[in-house]
Amino acid sequence: MPFKRLLTTLVEAVPGASGAILADWEGEAVEQFTHGDPFEIKVTAAHWGIMLAQLKDVHQKHDAGSIRESVISTDEQHVIVGSIGDDYALVMTLARNALPLLALRKFRETAQLLHKEIY
């Protein structure tokens, strides 16, 4: 499966992107690509994966459809986290000066490709 290639292409296609990781429903890394600390991206995926699961639970109560992804901006970075089917999450980290809408477009393209590979 070309997970590493897809994650590398995603990060390289977005100026300011620092990493991307595909994690399973338990927050365990399936594959990753990062310009930083590999352990740090794994911890990031585990935490943001939990947040995605909580958002899904809250969102189901409001009958507004399924959550595809979320963009979270902090003082230090942007994070995009999204579902790949019911069992996987894709997490991407970006510098604060990155363009989140460009990143979101590339993130969605990669999410579709990952979905095709997995399912």
Side-chain angles (χ1 to χ4, degrees):
M1 292 184 198
F3 297 150
K4 182 76 158 195
R5 180 179 48 80
L6 290 171
L7 297 175
T8 302
T9 300
L10 171 61
V11 172
E12 297 296 326
V14 179
S18 53
I21 184 167
L22 177 66
D24 68 14
W25 64 277
E26 293 180 316
E28 293 293 322
V30 174
E31 189 59 83
Q32 67 190 36
F33 176 80
T34 182
H35 291 300
D37 182 358
F39 178 75
E40 189 65 33
I41 194 83
K42 289 178 183 177
V43 172
T44 298
H47 287 102
W48 289 113
I50 291 168
M51 291 295 296
L52 179 62
Q54 291 174 339
L55 284 171
K56 285 180 181 180
D57 289 343
V58 169
H59 207 262
Q60 285 178 346
K61 297 175 184 175
H62 297 290
D63 193 33
S66 299
I67 290 185
R68 293 188 334 185
E69 72 269 322
S70 179
V71 179
I72 298 109
S73 297
T74 70
D75 290 340
E76 297 179 16
Q77 68 179 351
H78 300 289
V79 177
I80 304 174
V81 58
S83 295
I84 308 295
D86 292 331
D87 300 321
Y88 297 90
L90 176 61
V91 179
M92 180 180 188
T93 55
L94 309 146
R96 278 294 289 162
N97 63 350
L99 302 173
L101 292 179
L102 169 64
L104 185 57
R105 183 171 58 87
K106 296 294 186 183
F107 183 95
R108 286 177 176 165
E109 291 170 3
T110 302
Q112 288 177 350
L113 294 171
L114 288 167
H115 190 273
K116 286 179 185 176
E117 285 296 323
I118 294 169
Y119 298 100

